[in-house]
Amino acid sequence: MYIKLSNLFQRLQNLAKRSRTVTKPRSLILLILLFVLSLSIPLVAHQVSASSIIVQTQQNPLQLVEQAKKLYTTGQFEQAALVWQKTAEGFAAQGDNLNQAMALSNLSLTQQQLGKWAEAKQAIATSLKLLEIQEKTPTQRLIQAQTLDIQGQLQLAVGRSQIALKTWQQAADIYKNIGNKHKFIQSQINQAQAMQELGLYRRACEILLESLELEHQDLDISKQQLQTLTEKFSGTGDLASLQVLGLRSLGDVLRVIGNSEQSQLILAESVKLAKQLGDSQNLAAGYFSLGNTVLSLGNQKAQIETIPTPITFTSSQDCMARANNTVSELYQQAAACYHQAELSTDANISAKAKLNLLSLLIETQQWSEISTLLPKIQSQLDKLPMSHGAIYAQINLAQNLICLKSAVNPEVSQLSSPLLQQCGVSQEKTTNTGGNTLQPTLIPAWEDIAKIVTTARNQAQVLQDNQAQAYALGYLGGVYQEIGEIPNAQRFTQEALQLVSAFDAPHIAYRWQWQLGRLRRIQENQQGAIAAYTAAVETLKSLRKDLTVINPDIQYTFRDSVAPVYREFVGLLLQANNSNQTNLKQARDAIEALQLAELDDYFRDACIEAKPQQIDRVVDKATPAAAVLYTITLPDRLELILKLPGQENLEHYTTTVTQAQLKDNLTQLIERLNDKTRFAGEIQELSQQTYDWLIKPAQSKLVDSKVKTLVFVLDGLLRNIPMAVLYDRASQEYLVQKYALVITPGLQLISPRPLANVRLNAMLAGMSEQRSFPDENQLFSNLKFVPNELGKIQKQLPNNEKLLDRAFLKATLQEHLANAKYTIVHLATHGEFNSDPEKTFIATWDHLIKIKDLDKLLRSGKINQPISIELLVLSACKTATGDSRATLGLAGVAVRAGARSTLASLWSVNDESTSELMGEFYSKLVNANGRKNVSKAEALQQAQLALLNNRDRNKKWERPYYWAPFVLVGNWL
C-alpha cells in the first residue's frame, strides 16, 4: 500500500526525536555512487538523468536496500520509491540518522525520476537537516557532499540553475577538503552543466578542461593534447565513465563557443570510449551530442554553399564517418547520429534525438520521413514526466511545427513573429523541394501549436520555473501574432517581458522586445515600436560578452536571430517620416553596434574593445578632410548615412534597390574582378551601377566639403567589393582617382594616430616556393615575385628583419616579434579569409596560423602591454568567393590583432604587379614620413594610381584585376 508522503515525513521526524534517547546501533553506512548526470548542450530540452543510488558498505546489507536498488536500476521507480520510504522509516526507528538521511536522499533521487518535484524537494531537505546534526566526520562530510549533488540535480531539473551551481560548488569544496578527487571531478562536471544553463559557456569550458587536466590557451586544445587525453582514458569502471561524460560535456561546450571541429574530434573520442566500456547510456548521449555538432558544421556550410541534390537519410549511414566535406554529407552524418541516439532506452535522450532529427528533416524538406516521425514524437513527449527539460522539449516541438508551417508556406514578412526567423539556415538554398507529400493532417494549425505552448506554460507555473514560463509566454505571443489576434499576442508578449524583468535573463528579454516591436509596427504605433526596438538593441549590447547565452535548446543563428533586430531597427528609424537628426544618430549607432556584434559572433567572443565616444571626433579632426559613409542593406532599399567633416548634422540618403538586385550586381562584379582576362570596360558596366547606388547621392556634398579621404562602414556583400573600382560614368573616373579610400568595421574600433614621426621598424616575411600542408588539404603555388617585393621594401625601410621561405617558421617569427618592437609587419605569403575563423589563416613555412592565433603571435611577449604595430600588411591573401561573411576575417585581423591598420588583398594576384604596387606604397609612405602629412590611405591611393596609369601594354596593369584588390582596413591616418 502506498504511504502518503506527508504522513511519512511526520512519522520519520517523530521517530528521529525518539531515537536520540536510545542507545545507537552501529550505523550501516550507505555510500552514494551517483550515476553521473547526462550532460549535453543540445538543440532540445535537457533531461533529468538517473543518478546511481546509494549502496551499502556493510557485509550484510538489509534486504530492503538491495530490493530498492534493484528496482531503481531497472527503472521501476514507483516501486523503488515505496521501498525507499520503508527503508528510511526503518533506519529512523533504529536511531540511525546517517543511514536515514541516505535513504531519504535516494528517495529524492527516485522521486525526481517520476517528476514528483515537491516530494523530492521535501525528502532532500529532511535528509540535509539530519546530516547537519551529525558529528562532522570524513564519512559524514562525504555523505553530505553526495546529498548536495542530488539536491543540485533537483534544483537544475526545476530550472533553478544559479542555485544548483552554488549547491555543486558547496559539494566540490567538501570533496576537495576530504581529498576525494573522483567526486571532485564529478562535481566540476555538474557545475559545468549549471554554467551552460546560465549561458556561461566559456567558464564551463574552463572548468571542464581543468577537470580533464588539460592545459590550454584561450580554450584551444591541440591534436597532440587530444591524443594524450584519449590514451589516458583507457581504463574501466566508474572513473572511465566519468571521463566519457567529461569529454562529452566538453565537446558540447566547444560547439556552442564556436570550436565545432574540435568538438567533433572530442565527441568522437567520447563515443569510442563509451563503446569500449559498454556504457549504453553515455553512448546514446554521445551519438546525440555528435549529431548536434555535425549538424552545426553543416549549417555553417549551408550559409555559403548550395545543396546540389536531394538528400536521403537512412539508418544505415555511419554516424562516425569523417568524409564530410559537403553540406549533404554532414547532414546525412547528423541524421545517422540521431537515428543511433533515438534507440536509447533513456526516454529523454530518445525524445531529444527525435526532435533534432525532425528539425533537420524539416530544414531539408524530407516530407515522407516527417510523416513517420512526428506522431512518434508527440506520443513520446506526452509520456515524459514534468520537468524543466520536458517543458523545453514542448517548446522545441512548437518551434519545429512553426518551421514546418513555414516550410510548406515559406512567405515570411518583417511583420511575422520573430519565431519564424529561427527556421532553417539552408532552406532557401536547397533544391530538394520534391513536392509537398506531407499528409494534410500533419500540418498543424496555429491553434494546435498554441495548445502545446500552453501546456509548457502551465507546467512551468507548477514548477515555478520563471525562465521557462517567460519562454512559453513569448511563444504564445508569437503564435497569436500568426493567428492574427494582435491584442492577445501583445498581452502575452508583455506578460513575458514583465516576468523577465524580475530576474536577469537578457537572452530571453531581447527576443520578446523584438517581437513587441513588430507587433507595434503592425498597429502602426511607430514611437512604441522604436521604443521596443531600442530596448532590444540595448539588451543585445549587454549580451555581447556572451551572445551564445541564447538558449541552445532553441535553434539559434546570428544571421536569423540577432542581425535582423538591428536591420529592422535602422529601417524603422530611417523611414521617410522619421529621419530627424536624433533618429539618424541612433541609426548610425545601431549600424556601428551591428558591426561589432558581427565580429563578436564571427570570433565567438567579445574581446574587442569599443570606444563609442570617439566617432565624431575622429572624423572632425582628420587631416586631410575625411568623410564616413555608412551603408545598411534592407530587403527593399539601401540606406546611406554620411558623416561630413566639421558638420554636426548627419546626411541621409535612400537608394531604391532591392536586396536581390544588389546581390545580383555585386556577385557578377566579384566574378569579373577575379578574372584577369576581363577588360576594364567589362568591370565598369557593373561598377558604375554600384557607384550610382552608393556614391552619386552624396557626390555634391563630398565635393562641397572638400573631402579627400572616404571611409566606408560596409554591410554584407558590399564588404567583398574593393570600393576603389566603383566607376563614375560622368567623369569617367574610378573612385580611387577621386579619393583615398579605407574600410572599417566601425569608428568605435580604430585607434586614430597619424604615422608621421613614428620610427619605422619592419618585420618582413614571405614564402616564394610551392608548399603543401596535406593535413589541412592545402597546396600553395609558388609566389616567385615575393623576394623582389621584400627587396624593394628593404630599400625603403633599412631598419628591418627578413624571414624568407625555410627561415619563415612560426616559432622564428614568434621569437622575433617577442624580442623587438616592430611598427610594421609585412607578410607576403598565402592566406585566406573565410566565413569560418578556423579556415581563415596565414601560411608560414611550417604552419597555417589561424586568425584566432594571429593576435597572440603579434602580441608575443607583450602581455598587458600596448601593441606597437602600426601597420600589418598581408599582400597575397584571397577571400572565399561568394562568402559575404568572409571579409569579417579581414576586418577582424585589423582590430583583433591590435594593429592600427591592415593592408590586405581581397584576391591573390601572384604577379609582378603586387611587387610593384608594394614598392610604390612604401616609397610614398616612407618618403613622406616626417616631412608632410601623407596618410596610409593616400599612400595606397598613389600606389594604385601608379598601376592604373601604367602605359606598358604588355603588362596590362591598368586592368582592375591587378590594382583593385588591395584594401586598407582600420586607421587611415
Side-chain angles (χ1 to χ4, degrees):
M1 181 178 174
Y2 188 85
I3 303 170
K4 286 187 177 180
L5 281 179
S6 58
N7 295 340
L8 169 72
F9 286 115
Q10 185 60 51
R11 288 168 64 189
L12 290 175
Q13 288 166 357
N14 292 337
L15 285 168
K17 289 176 185 175
R18 286 179 8 220
S19 68
R20 292 170 195 159
T21 63
V22 180
T23 302
K24 187 175 177 182
R26 184 179 177 189
S27 294
L28 298 172
I29 304 299
L30 306 177
L31 294 180
I32 301 175
L33 298 177
L34 290 174
F35 287 151
V36 284
L37 296 174
S38 250
L39 304 180
S40 60
I41 306 299
L43 302 177
V44 295
H46 289 285
Q47 68 185 52
V48 177
S49 62
S51 295
S52 80
I53 63 179
I54 306 165
V55 297
Q56 224 171 271
T57 59
Q58 295 282 331
Q59 290 183 345
N60 300 307
L62 296 175
Q63 255 183 334
L64 283 176
V65 174
E66 284 301 317
Q67 184 185 355
K69 178 185 172 186
K70 184 175 180 181
L71 289 167
Y72 184 94
T73 54
T74 56
Q76 300 177 69
F77 300 123
E78 289 280 6
Q79 295 91 329
L82 289 171
V83 178
W84 283 123
Q85 290 169 12
K86 292 177 183 178
T87 306
E89 189 175 28
F91 283 131
Q94 295 175 9
D96 188 346
N97 291 347
L98 200 55
N99 273 321
Q100 179 191 350
M102 301 293 280
L104 287 170
S105 296
N106 280 334
L107 174 60
S108 174
L109 197 58
T110 308
Q111 297 289 18
Q112 289 179 46
Q113 303 306 314
L114 296 167
K116 296 182 178 179
W117 306 110
E119 293 91 334
K121 183 178 178 181
Q122 190 174 2
I124 203 73
T126 305
S127 174
L128 286 167
K129 283 181 181 178
L130 288 169
L131 288 167
E132 280 295 323
I133 63 175
Q134 303 303 304
E135 182 183 354
K136 299 295 188 287
T137 65
T139 301
Q140 182 274 345
R141 296 288 283 160
L142 175 61
I143 296 168
Q144 184 181 31
Q146 293 168 324
T147 301
L148 287 170
D149 280 339
I150 294 176
Q151 185 183 42
Q153 175 171 329
L154 171 60
Q155 290 160 342
L156 192 73
V158 295
R160 308 292 173 83
S161 306
Q162 188 69 57
I163 299 173
L165 176 59
K166 290 180 180 177
T167 299
W168 279 325
Q169 286 170 338
Q170 277 183 272
D173 288 343
I174 295 173
Y175 291 134
K176 189 173 183 179
N177 288 337
I178 63 177
N180 192 321
K181 183 177 180 182
H182 182 176
K183 290 293 184 183
F184 179 73
I185 292 171
Q186 176 184 291
S187 193
Q188 285 183 306
I189 295 172
N190 287 344
Q191 288 175 57
Q193 184 182 20
M195 289 173 184
Q196 292 163 42
E197 285 279 351
L198 293 166
L200 305 172
Y201 295 105
R202 297 185 72 80
R203 278 182 58 190
C205 191
E206 286 169 357
I207 199 170
L208 287 166
L209 289 170
E210 180 186 336
S211 73
L212 295 168
E213 298 179 343
L214 274 178
E215 293 184 3
H216 64 93
Q217 188 173 25
D218 196 26
L219 307 183
D220 194 32
I221 310 160
S222 69
K223 290 182 180 178
Q224 181 60 43
Q225 284 177 304
L226 180 60
Q227 179 64 33
T228 304
L229 186 68
T230 55
E231 288 171 359
K232 185 172 71 173
F233 289 173
S234 57
T236 58
D238 291 334
L239 182 58
S241 288
L242 187 61
Q243 290 163 337
V244 171
L245 178 64
L247 280 174
R248 190 175 77 251
S249 186
L250 177 61
D252 287 328
V253 175
L254 287 170
R255 176 182 64 252
V256 177
I257 66 173
N259 296 349
S260 294
E261 292 189 353
Q262 284 191 346
S263 168
Q264 185 180 19
L265 290 170
I266 286 171
L267 289 172
E269 292 301 325
S270 172
V271 168
K272 288 178 187 175
L273 188 53
K275 276 184 179 178
Q276 292 171 14
L277 297 171
D279 185 343
S280 59
Q281 185 179 12
N282 268 323
L283 180 60
Y287 281 132
F288 174 72
S289 291
L290 185 56
N292 289 340
T293 290
V294 175
L295 177 60
S296 176
L297 287 166
N299 284 344
Q300 288 172 25
K301 284 202 172 188
Q303 295 190 52
I304 58 172
E305 180 182 314
T306 301
I307 303 174
T309 56
I311 306 169
T312 303
F313 301 114
T314 67
S315 56
S316 63
Q317 289 162 336
D318 185 7
C319 171
M320 300 294 286
R322 290 306 307 273
N324 45 32
N325 295 319
T326 67
V327 176
S328 297
E329 289 171 334
L330 287 163
Y331 281 170
Q332 290 177 72
Q333 184 182 351
C337 292
Y338 292 142
H339 278 304
Q340 293 274 15
E342 70 173 314
L343 300 175
S344 173
T345 55
D346 185 311
N348 290 284
I349 294 175
S350 178
K352 290 190 290 187
K354 287 185 177 75
L355 280 165
N356 284 8
L357 179 60
L358 175 63
S359 174
L360 177 56
L361 296 177
I362 293 169
E363 190 173 321
T364 52
Q365 301 180 0
Q366 307 289 313
W367 307 120
S368 60
E369 286 207 47
I370 292 169
S371 299
T372 304
L373 183 61
L374 192 52
K376 293 180 182 177
I377 292 173
Q378 291 168 324
S379 172
Q380 190 164 5
L381 292 190
D382 289 342
K383 297 174 185 176
L384 289 179
M386 180 171 55
S387 69
H388 176 76
I391 293 167
Y392 278 105
Q394 295 284 354
I395 293 173
N396 188 275
L397 175 60
Q399 180 66 65
N400 273 317
L401 294 177
I402 290 168
C403 292
L404 180 59
K405 288 184 72 69
S406 175
V408 174
N409 181 20
E411 293 298 322
V412 178
S413 76
Q414 281 196 20
L415 298 182
S416 300
S417 166
L419 300 179
L420 275 74
Q421 299 281 152
Q422 317 299 320
C423 298
V425 299
S426 66
Q427 182 175 299
E428 65 184 16
K429 294 192 173 189
T430 183
T431 57
N432 179 28
T433 54
N436 180 11
T437 59
L438 195 65
Q439 297 174 26
T441 55
L442 291 177
I443 301 174
W446 285 111
E447 289 77 8
D448 295 330
I449 299 174
K451 288 178 183 176
I452 293 169
V453 181
T454 300
T455 299
R457 178 212 179 175
N458 293 341
Q459 291 182 352
Q461 284 180 314
V462 171
L463 293 183
Q464 298 181 326
D465 186 343
N466 288 340
Q467 179 168 309
Q469 191 179 347
Y471 259 118
L473 282 166
Y475 264 81
L476 274 176
V479 171
Y480 277 103
Q481 183 175 343
E482 294 309 307
I483 292 172
E485 296 185 17
I486 303 305
N488 277 334
Q490 183 161 324
R491 176 170 61 85
F492 283 124
T493 303
Q494 288 176 320
E495 282 182 21
L497 285 169
Q498 187 174 1
L499 196 60
V500 170
S501 68
F503 57 96
D504 185 26
H507 57 295
I508 304 175
Y510 100 88
R511 288 174 178 269
W512 309 139
Q513 289 161 344
W514 177 19
Q515 184 163 281
L516 183 60
R518 284 190 170 188
L519 287 166
R520 286 175 174 168
R521 286 169 62 195
I522 293 172
Q523 297 168 314
E524 298 183 353
N525 178 358
Q526 297 288 356
Q527 291 309 308
I530 287 174
Y533 274 100
T534 300
V537 167
E538 288 304 312
T539 302
L540 283 172
K541 287 180 184 177
S542 75
L543 261 177
R544 69 172 291 245
K545 288 295 180 187
D546 200 344
L547 201 66
T548 51
V549 72
I550 295 169
N551 192 344
D553 288 357
I554 309 298
Q555 294 181 48
Y556 159 83
T557 65
F558 180 88
R559 188 195 69 182
D560 297 325
S561 301
V562 175
V565 181
Y566 290 95
R567 295 185 189 284
E568 291 170 24
F569 183 38
V570 172
L572 183 63
L573 289 168
L574 298 184
Q575 286 180 352
N577 58 338
N578 279 341
S579 56
N580 53 54
Q581 281 300 311
T582 300
N583 285 359
L584 285 178
K585 289 181 179 178
Q586 202 171 0
R588 188 265 306 271
D589 293 345
I591 295 172
E592 289 258 353
L594 173 58
Q595 296 275 332
L596 185 60
E598 285 183 304
L599 283 172
D600 288 344
D601 177 67
Y602 181 81
F603 289 110
R604 283 296 175 130
D605 63 31
C607 65
I608 298 165
E609 183 183 356
K611 300 173 183 176
Q613 73 280 1
Q614 71 177 21
I615 295 175
D616 290 326
R617 188 174 69 247
V618 171
V619 179
D620 291 336
K621 291 187 175 182
T623 304
V628 184
L629 186 65
Y630 293 86
T631 69
I632 191 93
T633 55
L634 302 174
D636 60 340
R637 66 195 193 275
L638 176 66
E639 292 285 9
L640 308 167
I641 296 176
L642 179 65
K643 162 62 183 170
L644 291 167
Q647 183 175 308
E648 184 177 348
N649 286 348
L650 300 173
E651 302 292 335
H652 170 224
Y653 309 94
T654 300
T655 300
T656 306
V657 54
T658 67
Q659 208 162 23
Q661 289 172 322
L662 181 63
K663 182 179 178 181
D664 183 59
N665 170 275
L666 298 179
T667 301
Q668 290 184 61
L669 181 54
I670 292 168
E671 288 175 358
R672 294 188 187 183
L673 283 168
N674 277 269
D675 183 353
K676 69 168 66 176
T677 66
R678 293 285 189 170
F679 292 103
E682 296 176 274
I683 306 295
Q684 292 164 8
E685 286 176 0
L686 296 167
S687 67
Q688 67 186 14
Q689 178 64 77
T690 316
Y691 179 95
D692 289 347
W693 287 333
L694 261 66
I695 307 302
K696 193 172 182 180
Q699 188 169 270
S700 61
K701 293 282 187 181
L702 294 171
V703 172
D704 292 344
S705 297
K706 298 181 172 54
V707 169
K708 299 298 181 185
T709 301
L710 193 49
V711 183
F712 289 91
V713 180
L714 296 171
D715 184 34
L717 205 57
L718 283 166
R719 298 188 188 111
N720 290 30
I721 303 295
M723 292 292 105
V725 82
L726 301 191
Y727 190 71
D728 181 1
R729 75 185 93 188
S731 65
Q732 297 188 343
E733 290 179 302
Y734 290 105
L735 195 61
V736 73
Q737 294 173 285
K738 297 183 173 191
Y739 304 103
L741 304 169
V742 66
I743 60 174
T744 174
L747 296 191
Q748 299 181 59
L749 303 176
I750 67 169
S751 300
R753 185 173 77 172
L755 191 61
N757 300 319
V758 175
R759 183 177 182 273
L760 300 182
N761 182 24
M763 162 51 63
L764 311 176
M767 198 160 66
S768 64
E769 298 179 19
Q770 180 176 302
R771 196 81 180 117
S772 67
F773 293 84
D775 290 347
E776 303 279 355
N777 196 28
Q778 294 285 357
L779 173 63
F780 299 119
S781 60
N782 67 326
L783 298 170
K784 61 182 180 180
F785 291 100
V786 162
N788 186 41
E789 176 180 333
L790 299 184
K792 288 186 176 184
I793 300 170
Q794 283 184 295
K795 292 178 181 177
Q796 301 293 338
L797 300 171
N799 297 318
N800 70 78
E801 293 285 344
K802 185 175 79 170
L803 302 174
L804 181 63
D805 291 329
R806 287 170 176 78
F808 182 23
L809 303 175
K810 179 182 177 182
T812 308
L813 178 63
Q814 187 166 2
E815 182 182 351
H816 277 80
L817 291 172
N819 294 328
K821 285 190 174 182
Y822 296 101
T823 50
I824 294 176
V825 175
H826 184 107
L827 305 178
T829 183
H830 290 282
E832 180 169 336
F833 301 113
N834 192 286
S835 61
D836 182 356
E838 291 300 313
K839 293 183 174 63
T840 297
F841 62 84
I842 303 296
T844 66
W845 185 259
D846 59 339
H847 277 90
L848 298 186
I849 303 174
K850 304 296 174 64
I851 190 172
K852 287 187 174 182
D853 298 324
L854 185 59
D855 65 319
K856 298 172 199 168
L857 192 73
L858 293 173
R859 295 177 185 273
S860 296
K862 303 177 182 68
I863 304 301
N864 299 323
Q865 296 180 29
I867 198 162
S868 59
I869 298 172
E870 295 286 337
L871 177 64
L872 170 66
V873 181
L874 308 169
S875 65
C877 292
K878 64 178 182 179
T879 303
T881 305
D883 186 346
S884 62
R885 278 173 56 90
T887 43
L888 285 172
L890 172 54
V893 168
V895 292
R896 186 183 172 96
R900 293 181 186 275
S901 311
T902 298
L903 173 57
S905 55
L906 292 177
W907 59 86
S908 180
V909 177
N910 189 17
D911 193 270
E912 184 184 359
S913 60
T914 300
S915 171
E916 186 70 21
L917 183 140
M918 287 298 160
E920 287 285 341
F921 170 75
Y922 282 103
S923 172
K924 299 294 187 294
L925 195 66
V926 173
N927 292 333
N929 185 41
R931 290 206 290 271
K932 67 174 185 176
N933 195 10
V934 171
S935 67
K936 287 170 264 188
E938 287 178 303
L940 176 60
Q941 178 191 26
Q942 292 174 28
Q944 289 178 304
L945 290 178
L947 263 64
L948 176 59
N949 296 327
N950 168 68
R951 292 295 175 259
D952 186 339
R953 293 189 177 183
N954 292 325
K955 293 183 175 177
K956 302 176 182 177
W957 288 351
E958 73 282 356
R959 294 184 182 181
Y961 172 83
Y962 295 98
W963 55 262
F966 301 95
V967 294
L968 184 68
V969 183
N971 175 29
W972 67 92
L973 300 177

